[in-house]
Amino acid sequence: MDSQDDYPTMLKRDNKIELLESFHGAKQHHRMKCMTCNHTWTATPISKRQTYKKHGVGGCPNCNKHRRENSH
C-alpha cells in the first residue's frame, strides 16, 4: 500500500497532478492542478491514485473528457 507521505510525489510522477495546497491526508479533499492541461479541481489523493492503478490514466477530469470525446 502507498505511504501517505509519498502521495504528493506519486501524484506528480504517475498522475501528472500537482497539489495546490499542503498535503493533509489521502482521504481529504485537496485542490489539484493537472500538469498536462493546467485544469484545476478538488478531489481526494486516494481517488486519483486508485484511478491510475485501475485504468492507467492520471485522473484529470478535463483530460478524461477530451480522451472520451476523441475516442468516438
Side-chain angles (χ1 to χ4, degrees), residues 49-60:
R49 291 298 301 155
Q50 289 170 342
T51 298
Y52 179 76
K53 287 179 179 180
K54 186 174 182 179
H55 302 289
V57 295
C60 168

Side-chain angles (χ1 to χ4, degrees), residues 18-63:
E18 180 178 11
L19 294 182
L20 297 178
E21 56 193 56
S22 59
F23 179 76
H24 50 266
K27 296 180 181 179
Q28 302 297 315
H29 279 83
H30 293 72
R31 287 186 55 240
M32 301 180 174
K33 179 174 123 178
C34 177
M35 296 166 61
T36 302
C37 73
N38 292 319
H39 177 71
T40 59
W41 76 102
T42 303
T44 61
I46 198 167
S47 71
K48 299 298 107 184
R49 291 298 301 155
Q50 289 170 342
T51 298
Y52 179 76
K53 287 179 179 180
K54 186 174 182 179
H55 302 289
V57 295
C60 168
N62 191 52
C63 288

Side-chain angles (χ1 to χ4, degrees), residues 10-25:
M10 290 185 297
L11 287 170
K12 234 179 198 180
R13 180 190 66 222
D14 300 332
N15 298 71
K16 305 300 184 237
I17 293 172
E18 180 178 11
L19 294 182
L20 297 178
E21 56 193 56
S22 59
F23 179 76
H24 50 266

